[in-house]
Amino acid sequence: MSRPPLHWSCLNHCGACCRLAPAERQDALEALSDDQQTIYLEMVGEDGWCRHFDQGGRRCRIYEDRPDFCRVSGLADLFAVPEEEVNAFAIDCCRQQIRSVHGGRSLELRKFERLIRSPQDSDD
């Protein structure tokens, strides 16, 4: 019996992707255009977190109006990932960021692993 394919989905109230610290996310910063880099750097708070991230509620305060580089749907273009590889790329990016922010044995990572294995529509 083969395993069902993994499907990327955003883990609500995780916030790992909102850790924007440029020193920790150099590859992400380099993938952005000059205009996007300016916006990105303006979003970084003194603590390395996005200024628009509500750390208490673990949610984005500008979710509907967030920049294009904050959307998983834009990853393929930013990193020149072929369309058929976007799902796996997004999963790998999230795993890496969740491990970096929350830890490799964190509840968030365990929840994410369960989420990507469950049949559901992806969220962006």
Side-chain angles (χ1 to χ4, degrees), residues 93-109:
C93 287
C94 285
R95 280 179 174 148
Q96 181 181 46
Q97 193 65 14
I98 292 169
R99 279 186 191 108
S100 173
V101 171
H102 298 297
R105 299 179 63 122
S106 65
L107 177 60
E108 290 83 2
L109 187 56

Side-chain angles (χ1 to χ4, degrees), residues 32-95:
L32 303 177
S33 70
D34 290 344
D35 289 341
Q36 289 172 320
Q37 284 183 13
T38 299
I39 294 168
Y40 184 101
L41 293 172
E42 288 172 352
M43 292 171 58
V44 181
E46 288 183 25
D47 59 359
W49 287 90
C50 178
R51 295 181 302 111
H52 303 292
F53 182 61
D54 171 6
Q55 290 189 42
R58 285 190 173 182
R59 62 179 191 82
C60 176
R61 291 188 290 254
I62 63 163
Y63 188 80
E64 294 302 321
D65 298 317
R66 69 197 188 280
D68 58 344
F69 56 80
C70 290
R71 299 170 187 269
V72 169
S73 59
L75 286 176
D77 290 336
L78 282 176
F79 291 97
V81 176
E83 188 63 35
E84 65 274 8
E85 296 176 21
V86 171
N87 186 62
F89 183 77
I91 289 169
D92 289 343
C93 287
C94 285
R95 280 179 174 148

